[in-house]
Amino acid sequence: MDANAVAELEKAGVKVDEPDRLYVAVEWEDSKRVLPAGPRVQVRASEQLTHVTLQPISKLWTGDKQPPSFAKAPPPEYHPFFFVIEATAAGYCRAVRNTETDQEFERLYRHLLRRPDGTDRNPLFSYLQGAARLYMSLRDVSQAEFEAVVERLHQSAKHHQTHVGSINYFQDVLRGVLGA
């Protein structure tokens, strides 16, 4: 958790007690090119947009809590974490008018798991990072919990892949998140 980010969001009027109503919104350069999410991200809370400075993922890990098994389904207390990441992914695809493939989502989630503070050529990666950073700024999340959530997202994208170029993860999961 990051008290500075919480204070910054509260000052802007964002309800930080409802993280499942937030996501990282896409920012554009000259309305043509997507800007990668950096240390300062644009957060959407309903119709409200505000900016907040977020620390790197590795600086936001708190404690050593071990997550339960996500084999069947994530427990309800983890749903907001999933929602912030998946809402950001859905919002990104909707904003850029491009649905990433299941294979690309699988690759991005695997990369996020292996290099949480890394970079990638696909700007969506920075938005997935931004979403994790946003949630982890609002709630205490251990490294093990972060890894369990991202691994589950990776497995979900992999599970939905039926062929090269399939977009089932977007259609079956993300479309319902924001109506993307």
Side-chain angles (χ1 to χ4, degrees), residues 3-179:
N4 292 331
V6 170
E8 197 174 341
L9 288 167
E10 286 177 334
K11 184 177 179 183
V14 174
K15 295 180 181 177
V16 297
D17 58 332
E18 298 177 336
D20 56 342
R21 296 184 181 267
L22 309 175
Y23 67 94
V24 177
V26 173
E27 292 194 75
W28 297 89
E29 179 181 19
D30 301 328
S31 302
K32 295 177 184 173
R33 189 175 75 85
V34 173
L35 290 172
R40 191 157 177 81
V41 301
Q42 182 172 240
V43 175
R44 178 171 292 279
S46 296
E47 295 304 313
Q48 179 185 10
L49 284 173
T50 190
H51 285 85
V52 63
T53 302
L54 303 173
Q55 295 182 42
I57 291 171
S58 62
K59 294 198 184 276
L60 292 167
W61 287 319
T62 305
D64 57 3
K65 182 177 178 186
Q66 294 301 306
S69 171
F70 289 178
K72 292 184 181 177
E77 63 265 24
Y78 288 90
H79 291 181
F81 196 0
F82 283 93
F83 181 85
V84 171
I85 294 172
E86 290 181 326
T88 297
Y92 179 91
C93 290
R94 182 174 59 188
V96 301
R97 295 191 166 125
N98 178 47
T99 304
E100 294 289 354
T101 65
D102 301 331
Q103 185 175 11
E104 181 65 356
F105 273 113
E106 179 187 354
R107 185 188 75 77
L108 291 172
Y109 288 137
R110 184 178 57 244
H111 187 52
L112 183 60
L113 183 63
R114 291 181 178 166
R115 292 183 179 80
D117 293 331
T119 59
D120 191 82
R121 69 185 180 281
N122 187 337
L124 174 54
F125 180 75
S126 68
Y127 285 88
L128 297 174
Q129 281 177 318
R133 292 168 38 225
L134 174 61
Y135 183 83
M136 295 170 70
S137 294
L138 304 177
R139 299 289 182 271
D140 288 339
V141 177
S142 70
Q143 182 175 353
E145 289 174 303
F146 166 80
E147 290 172 353
V149 167
V150 177
E151 176 61 30
R152 177 63 184 220
L153 290 166
H154 170 256
Q155 290 301 321
S156 181
K158 185 176 182 176
H159 169 78
H160 283 86
Q161 185 177 344
T162 55
H163 60 278
V164 172
S166 66
I167 57 169
N168 300 323
Y169 175 70
F170 176 83
Q171 291 179 328
D172 298 345
V173 178
L174 300 183
R175 182 177 281 162
V177 175
L178 288 181

